[in-house]
């Protein structure tokens, strides 16, 4: 993984949206994905929040990794440091949005605290660390993964709306049929994999 | 006490199973369910970190200010996950490499925080430890079952040993992500149907004090 030549950030951006969607192929961020995808407005808000936070976190934690963790040789602490980075970014974003745009805060605010424990964010950072991306790659990967997550949750929210009025076996109602739907979405996204083969 | 512990065990394994009832913590482990061995190691890691985090958080609940509770929880959890990561790296370097980022992702596994909030915040340390451990067991049971199906059909092996006949054509879909989603859905469907049936039977027994012998 580490020895591979550096991938073009633009390619990486599209690859992380479609071919290696963080949710559909890496299963990250499932909890909030299932519980928030019931209606489109909140799915949109959460998706937007995840994308913004993931992009910023990828950039910040790349800098932290490069200039703090590696020089000090404290890689064993990296989990804790990344979690703190995420929490700090979320907290700061919350304060900035509150100050700058109260309207946006009203629609985004309730989702921000949820994001601290969203596995997709930490997942993206850990992937970035393991694959030793450069700075631009890290940002592209963060933004792409966030958008991929956003796309997936919007698709799922729309599909769930349609499923609501259809007869589903009693045992499969709710989470069950949602998992089946996600399975089909994952299969559809596999169709993209011929397009760009980038890890 | 023992009655309570037994009830917790039953709740976490069946009536309130983290995967098919609470739908928590699927994220970090589903990805490794195409191999039984990795799934076992991951779920043991999750169980232990849930148990110890619940124990610690329950022991220090009185001293944590409400405002910083969440961050304290995350820090305690990451402490245990780091220990697990270090142990894996030292004793099972091969597995640790295969699991990659997913060990670290145990930190954000919702199940741990869920148990800390729902149980450890209101119970004694030892009982919380037991609750965390059994939640992990309920979690493990489902994921290992899924992993067994995926490994047998996807590779024709079980724990690395060939179990299918030589002419067996592996199902590629079982190695890929969608199959995990479908299998989780099947488990949910099965469990909910069985539970609904049991509930209906219990309700029927309650409403009719003298049940008519059921026709087979």
């Amino acid at each position: 993984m580490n020895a591979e030549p550096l991938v073009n950030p633009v390619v990486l951006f599209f690859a992380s949206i479609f071919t290696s969607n963080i949710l559909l192929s890496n299963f990250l961020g499932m909890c909030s994905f299932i519980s928030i995808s019931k209606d489109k407005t909140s799915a949109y808000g959460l998706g937007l929040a995840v994308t913004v936070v993931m992009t910023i976190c990828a950039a910040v934690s790349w800098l932290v990794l490069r200039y703090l963790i590696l020089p000090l040789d404290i890689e064993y602490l990296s989990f804790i440091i990344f979690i703190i980075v995420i929490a700090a970014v979320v907290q700061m974003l919350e304060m900035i949005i509150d100050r700058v745009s109260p309207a946006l805060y009203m629609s985004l605010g309730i989702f921000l605290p949820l994001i601290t424990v969203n596995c997709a964010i930490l997942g993206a950072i850990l992937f970035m660390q393991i694959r030793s991306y450069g700075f631009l790659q890290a940002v592209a990967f963060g933004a792409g993964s966030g958008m991929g997550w956003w796309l997936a949750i919007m698709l799922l929210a729309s599909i769930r709306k349609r499923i609501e009025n259809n007869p589903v076996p009693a045992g499969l109602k709710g989470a069950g049929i949602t998992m089946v739907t996600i399975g089909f979405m994952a299969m559809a996204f596999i169709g993209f994999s011929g397009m760009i083969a980038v890890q | 006490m023992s009655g309570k512990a037994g009830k917790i065990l039953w709740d976490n394994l069946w009536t309130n199973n983290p995967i098919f009832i609470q739908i928590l913590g699927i994220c970090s482990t589903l990805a490794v369910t195409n191999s039984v061995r990795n799934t076992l190691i991951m779920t043991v890691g999750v169980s232990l970190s849930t148990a110890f985090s619940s124990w610690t958080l329950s022991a220090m609940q009185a001293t944590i200010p409400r405002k910083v509770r969440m961050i304290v929880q995350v820090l305690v959890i990451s402490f245990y996950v780091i220990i697990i990561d270090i142990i894996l790296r030292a004793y099972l370097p091969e597995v640790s490499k295969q699991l990659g980022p997913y060990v670290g992702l145990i930190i954000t596994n919702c199940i741990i925080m869920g148990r800390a909030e729902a149980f450890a915040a209101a119970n004694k340390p030892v009982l919380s430890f037991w609750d965390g451990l059994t939640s992990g067991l309920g979690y493990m049971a489902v994921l290992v079952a899924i992993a067994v199906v995926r490994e047998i059909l996807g590779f024709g092996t079980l724990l690395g040993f060939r179990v299918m006949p030589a002419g067996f054509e592996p199902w590629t879909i079982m190695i890929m992500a969608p199959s995990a989603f479908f299998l989780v859905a099947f488990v949910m469907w099965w469990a909910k149907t069985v539970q609904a049936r049991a509930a209906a039977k219990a309700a029927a027994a309650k409403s009719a004090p003298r049940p008519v012998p059921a026709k087979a």
Side-chain angles (χ1 to χ4, degrees):
Chain A
M1 249 180 259
N2 296 350
E4 275 172 31
L6 293 181
V7 186
N8 186 336
V10 180
V11 176
L12 191 63
F13 174 72
F14 285 106
S16 51
I17 297 183
F18 295 111
T19 52
S20 53
N21 187 294
I22 197 151
L23 189 112
L24 296 172
S25 63
N26 291 319
F27 307 98
L28 297 178
M30 291 285 296
C31 307
S32 39
F33 186 69
I34 292 179
S35 52
I36 307 290
S37 62
K38 283 190 191 101
D39 84 298
K40 266 201 240 173
T41 338
S42 18
Y44 184 86
L46 184 68
L48 177 62
V50 166
T51 310
V52 172
V53 172
M54 207 185 266
T55 315
I56 300 175
C57 282
V60 174
S61 47
W62 188 87
L63 293 173
V64 169
L65 180 69
R66 178 77 172 68
Y67 293 106
L68 188 76
I69 298 181
L70 292 180
L72 293 178
D73 204 16
I74 47 170
E75 240 175 299
Y76 59 93
L77 282 181
S78 51
F79 294 163
I80 280 193
I81 294 175
F82 288 148
I83 281 284
I84 294 173
V85 165
I86 297 174
V89 167
V90 168
Q91 194 77 54
M92 262 194 274
L93 212 62
E94 208 175 340
M95 291 191 307
I96 293 172
I97 294 178
D98 189 20
R99 188 61 65 80
V100 176
S101 156
L104 187 63
Y105 184 76
M106 285 303 281
S107 62
L108 213 61
I110 46 166
F111 300 115
L112 281 172
L114 274 179
I115 287 180
T116 315
V117 286
N118 188 321
C119 5
I121 313 261
L122 184 65
I125 295 177
L126 293 177
F127 273 123
M128 175 200 85
Q129 182 192 19
I130 285 184
R131 295 176 187 160
S132 30
Y133 285 147
F135 183 70
L136 281 181
Q137 284 177 310
V139 175
F141 180 68
S145 302
M147 282 185 188
W149 201 89
W150 192 1
L151 175 67
I153 197 171
M154 283 310 288
L155 288 173
L156 183 67
S158 322
I159 297 174
R160 277 184 90 164
K161 200 127 227 155
R162 299 267 186 291
I163 291 177
E164 245 168 41
N165 302 322
N166 288 308
V168 171
L172 260 185
K173 275 214 176 89
I177 195 70
T178 309
M179 291 307 279
V180 175
T181 315
I182 302 174
F184 280 121
M185 279 168 61
M187 274 169 92
F189 270 67
I190 287 180
F192 287 119
S193 60
M195 229 165 54
I196 328 165
V198 175
Q199 178 58 299
Chain B
M1 178 73 185
S2 73
K4 202 171 179 194
K7 190 180 175 310
I8 291 172
L9 177 69
W10 179 243
D11 266 357
N12 286 334
L13 281 182
W14 179 247
T15 40
N16 199 18
N17 182 288
I19 293 203
F20 51 75
I21 305 298
Q22 300 179 49
I23 321 171
L24 282 182
I26 306 175
C27 348
S28 59
T29 313
L30 209 52
V32 297
T33 49
N34 53 15
S35 133
V36 176
R37 193 182 59 149
N38 290 355
T39 309
L40 275 173
I41 292 170
M42 266 299 279
T43 47
V44 167
V46 172
S47 309
L48 289 181
S49 39
T50 314
F52 281 104
S53 318
S54 282
W55 177 72
T56 316
L57 288 166
S58 163
M60 57 196 268
Q61 53 178 307
T63 55
I64 307 176
R66 275 199 82 78
K67 265 196 147 171
V68 294
R69 202 184 47 197
M70 194 145 156
I71 195 77
V72 172
Q73 284 172 348
V74 174
L75 289 181
V76 168
I77 297 167
S78 13
F79 168 73
Y80 286 112
V81 173
I82 286 177
I83 293 180
I84 288 172
D85 184 47
I86 290 175
I87 293 175
L88 277 184
R89 264 183 222 197
Y91 293 101
L92 296 162
E94 206 43 52
V95 175
S96 160
K97 204 169 271 170
Q98 278 177 19
L99 293 178
Y102 292 105
V103 180
L105 284 170
I106 296 178
I107 299 174
T108 47
N109 193 319
C110 338
I111 217 178
I112 306 187
M113 238 180 184
R115 284 340 280 173
E117 278 288 294
F119 195 92
N123 284 283
K124 291 265 173 297
V126 177
L127 214 53
S128 302
F129 182 88
W130 177 245
D131 175 74
L133 194 68
T134 49
S135 285
L137 286 181
Y139 181 75
M140 179 192 274
V142 175
L143 287 175
V144 168
I146 290 174
V148 166
V149 175
R150 283 186 78 185
E151 194 178 326
I152 290 183
L153 293 179
F155 295 99
T157 57
L158 184 61
L159 285 167
F161 298 106
R162 179 147 281 282
V163 289
M164 295 302 263
F168 173 72
E169 186 74 42
W171 301 12
T172 321
I173 183 82
M174 279 294 164
I175 309 172
M176 295 196 289
S179 67
F181 292 115
F182 291 134
L183 287 171
V184 172
F186 277 129
V187 173
M188 282 175 181
W189 189 1
W190 169 77
K192 281 203 180 150
T193 310
V194 173
Q195 290 188 348
R197 220 169 264 171
K201 211 183 252 174
K206 211 178 261 174
S207 63
R210 229 187 240 173
V212 232
K215 284 184 190 109

